[in-house]
Amino acid sequence: MNHTYQKLSTRFYKKSQADKIPKPQLIQFNHELADFLNLDLKNTPEQELARLFSGQTQLKNSKPIAIVYAGHQFGHFVPQLGDGRALLLGDTLAKDKKTYDLQLKGSGPTPFSRGGDGKSPVGPVIREYILSEFMYKMDVPTTRALAAVETGETITRQRTHPGAIFTRVAESHIRIGTFEYFAYQGDKESLEKLLNYSIERHYPHLVSTKSPANDFLNAVTIKTAQLIAKWMSIGFIHGVMNTDNTSIGGFTIDFGPCAFMDDFRFDKVFSSIDRHGRYAFHNQPSVAVWNLERLKDSLSVLADEDLNSITETFTSEFNKSWIQLMGNKLGIQEPSNEDSDIIDMFLLYLQKEKLDFTHSFRNLSELLKDDSSKVFPKTDEFETFYLAWKRRLSDQNTHISKSMALMDSKNPIYIARNHIVEKCINQAENKDYTFFNELNEVLKDPFTKREGFEAFASPPQKNEVIEHTFCGT
Ligand code: AMP
Ligand code: MG
């Protein structure tokens, strides 16, 4: 383990230790990821893995810390948050020559716990494991899941749950809120160190730039715009896009009350704490801009010149990515701005008919084989879309099988459907990980149909629909 973050200064963290737990037991370990991280754990017995990834035995050279950060939560600034239930074990150089952090989540209180117990029930551990690995498979930049371990403890929330610890792997744990923390403190020296470290780690091509603050802000804006477009192209709602949950590396972090939509609705909200829909599906781009404005505020003391406009850069990058992704989902090889009408037509139709987002996109290619397919209610809106879409595809002058192949490579059969994740969690509450293991297996290849796994592909029955998700931490 290396400790590059600790070298910045003691103002960035506090030392901390994992709690002793009664009975660490491995739920799941991601050997493929461990191998990628050069961790050399292939022959380590399960019991030892459980002890290592619950902080009972320390990884070589581990010097655990809790990181400080601030953040705007639902629009309100909190000057100090920090890792209240997480421990950064250190970082490691992986096979791609990039540095990755290893962090335990739920290993007990830290100096930033603010009265919380620093623990995690098994539910959020299961959810983060499934969703983060699925995001990775869908080519969405994300933190990843290395391990899930039962603690043998009982955690009390509204009711009692078995406790668990999650090991998160991230390209860093620097959030917009980390910049806000030092800006609020008026600590220009630390802010500058943080900026340089962030550039080295995430945007090395900017290391010798003349305007680091501006170029960094631009780079984060572009990456974030691409990320939000990717989320939305697979029906993902993060649910708690506070600035402390927004990475400056442009990847998905903090899988709290997040979920994938079944029936498509632009204003869909799952999170039980998001009462006004601040983080609704269609608000995600504007919220990301709002968060990036907070990064801009924090960086302003480091720049001699005025920093660039976020809105312009974000909007143009988001639109470009969105049209590319959604156009491909519709079988359009080289989508352009003019295709936004066809994309909107289809989405409005899905919304009006309350159709399943994932299923509908996947089934569209079937229509090209057999346009009498009964999957889509043949309303006026459908006919208008269908004619425009077919015309667009035939204008491409490529064989229709090419469009179908493109669609089938972009539209997954299996996603981490909310009601199935919920089933995995309910089983895990009774220490049964059958669904969890099966779902992880299926999601390793979301585009390939597998016999016997039909239930994982189906939208929920009426009585299975999950309307609300909870942080549950
Ligand atoms: P979140 O929005 O879920 O990422 O959490 C916001 C803040 O609350 C972070 O600073 C967390 O570390 C802290 N937090 C959440 N759950 C707990 C817990 N059980 N104990 C201590 N701190 C927590
Ligand atoms: Mg958080």
Side-chain angles (χ1 to χ4, degrees):
M1 286 280 97
N2 305 316
H3 302 283
T4 56
Y5 201 70
Q6 288 189 42
K7 289 197 185 128
L8 291 176
S9 119
T10 50
R11 290 182 207 166
F12 286 71
Y13 66 90
K14 293 226 186 308
K15 286 194 172 144
S16 190
Q17 290 292 338
D19 263 5
K20 289 272 163 285
I21 54 168
K23 206 171 167 220
Q25 270 190 314
L26 202 62
I27 300 172
Q28 184 73 260
F29 188 76
N30 191 340
H31 276 284
E32 168 239 307
L33 179 57
D35 189 46
F36 169 73
L37 295 170
N38 292 317
L39 288 181
D40 193 19
L41 295 167
K42 215 174 272 155
N43 301 317
T44 309
E46 282 206 354
Q47 201 44 45
E48 185 54 17
L49 290 174
R51 293 185 58 76
L52 282 169
F53 295 100
S54 58
Q56 306 307 291
T57 310
Q58 300 227 338
L59 280 165
K60 213 164 133 205
N61 302 326
S62 179
K63 285 193 274 176
I65 55 171
I67 289 182
V68 69
Y69 50 84
H72 276 86
Q73 299 189 308
F74 290 93
H76 302 287
F77 185 62
V78 185
Q80 189 188 299
L81 290 158
D83 291 335
R85 58 177 153 161
L87 266 189
L88 179 63
L89 300 178
D91 55 78
T92 182
L93 203 59
K95 292 219 168 15
D96 64 354
K97 305 270 183 281
K98 283 193 197 162
T99 299
Y100 290 83
D101 283 0
L102 259 65
Q103 191 201 51
L104 300 182
K105 272 178 92 174
S107 53
T110 74
F112 304 116
S113 291
R114 297 175 298 151
D117 61 3
K119 309 267 179 178
S120 176
V122 71
V125 170
I126 293 290
R127 184 185 298 278
E128 179 153 358
Y129 201 111
I130 297 168
L131 269 81
S132 60
E133 284 303 294
F134 174 60
M135 291 300 239
Y136 171 73
K137 285 290 167 198
M138 290 302 295
D139 204 23
V140 181
T142 181
T143 60
R144 294 196 61 191
L146 182 63
V149 176
E150 281 177 9
T151 62
E153 290 177 314
T154 300
I155 307 295
T156 307
R157 297 290 181 259
Q158 257 97 329
R159 58 184 185 86
T160 58
H161 306 268
I165 296 175
F166 179 77
T167 305
R168 170 159 74 185
V169 173
E171 283 177 53
S172 88
H173 283 88
I174 306 168
R175 304 132 191 280
I176 289 182
T178 323
F179 281 85
E180 288 180 286
Y181 174 80
F182 291 112
Y184 181 80
Q185 301 280 322
D187 184 349
K188 199 173 159 187
E189 187 192 330
S190 298
L191 207 51
E192 196 141 26
K193 280 188 185 166
L194 183 63
L195 174 61
N196 292 337
Y197 180 85
S198 302
I199 288 178
E200 270 170 37
R201 216 164 152 177
H202 295 283
Y203 305 98
H205 62 287
L206 298 178
V207 162
S208 17
T209 171
K210 299 236 162 15
S211 353
N214 215 359
D215 291 353
F216 172 70
L217 187 64
N218 261 332
V220 180
T221 302
I222 287 172
K223 281 244 180 175
T224 308
Q226 292 167 346
L227 175 72
I228 309 292
K230 282 204 163 181
W231 283 359
M232 292 176 67
S233 76
I234 52 173
F236 180 73
I237 304 169
H238 181 282
V240 60
M241 283 175 69
N242 294 330
T243 56
D244 54 300
N245 294 335
T246 307
S247 147
I248 51 88
F251 52 83
T252 320
I253 192 165
D254 278 18
F255 292 80
C258 56
F260 289 90
M261 273 195 275
D262 296 303
D263 294 357
F264 180 75
R265 241 180 57 199
F266 280 105
D267 63 353
K268 182 71 189 167
V269 177
F270 281 108
S271 168
S272 59
I273 53 171
D274 189 4
R275 286 193 198 90
H276 305 291
R278 180 181 171 91
Y279 301 137
F281 177 77
H282 67 154
N283 287 343
Q284 295 182 113
S286 58
V287 164
V289 169
W290 193 91
N291 290 350
L292 289 160
E293 298 281 1
R294 306 290 74 76
L295 179 62
K296 180 174 170 175
D297 295 345
S298 309
L299 288 169
S300 59
V301 292
L302 297 182
D304 301 329
E305 75 276 70
D306 278 350
L307 294 167
N308 287 352
S309 152
I310 305 268
T311 312
E312 249 170 67
T313 313
F314 186 96
T315 309
S316 117
E317 191 64 33
F318 176 81
N319 287 342
K320 199 167 87 189
S321 302
W322 172 254
I323 285 174
Q324 180 68 33
L325 293 161
M326 298 304 285
N328 282 174
K329 281 170 84 76
L330 290 172
I332 303 168
Q333 315 272 350
E334 287 172 26
S336 68
N337 284 346
E338 283 95 80
D339 293 319
S340 68
D341 282 351
I342 296 182
I343 298 167
D344 288 349
M345 265 191 255
F346 190 57
L347 291 177
L348 285 166
Y349 163 72
L350 294 187
Q351 171 165 274
K352 190 159 178 217
E353 297 302 317
K354 299 189 170 60
L355 296 178
D356 186 84
F357 180 82
T358 308
H359 240 196
S360 299
F361 273 97
R362 183 74 192 190
N363 285 333
L364 258 185
S365 70
E366 294 294 312
L367 265 187
L368 297 176
K369 266 189 253 159
D370 169 16
D371 64 6
S372 68
S373 160
K374 299 264 184 316
V375 181
F376 295 100
K378 302 284 166 37
T379 62
D380 289 349
E381 284 89 350
F382 180 79
E383 296 301 340
T384 315
F385 157 75
Y386 187 62
L387 284 177
W389 176 56
K390 286 276 275 205
R391 202 177 313 121
R392 177 66 177 90
L393 292 188
S394 57
D395 283 351
Q396 295 189 121
N397 284 327
T398 52
H399 195 270
I400 207 74
S401 62
K402 273 209 156 162
S403 299
M404 288 167 72
L406 177 64
M407 293 168 80
D408 288 349
S409 72
K410 300 290 178 185
N411 295 313
I413 299 173
Y414 306 102
I415 59 162
R417 285 191 186 270
N418 226 355
H419 69 292
I420 298 179
V421 173
E422 207 66 23
K423 279 186 190 168
C424 298
I425 292 175
N426 287 337
Q427 268 196 346
E429 294 271 353
N430 298 311
K431 300 188 189 294
D432 177 353
Y433 305 107
T434 319
F435 276 147
F436 171 67
N437 290 331
E438 280 179 3
L439 181 59
N440 279 330
E441 210 38 53
V442 166
L443 294 181
K444 279 186 183 157
D445 188 1
F447 299 94
T448 306
K449 198 170 186 165
R450 296 224 218 160
E451 292 303 322
F453 288 98
E454 291 73 16
F456 289 98
S458 304
Q461 304 285 325
K462 276 212 165 60
N463 64 345
E464 293 177 316
V465 173
I466 307 282
E467 288 296 349
H468 297 291
T469 48
F470 301 86
C471 287
T473 49

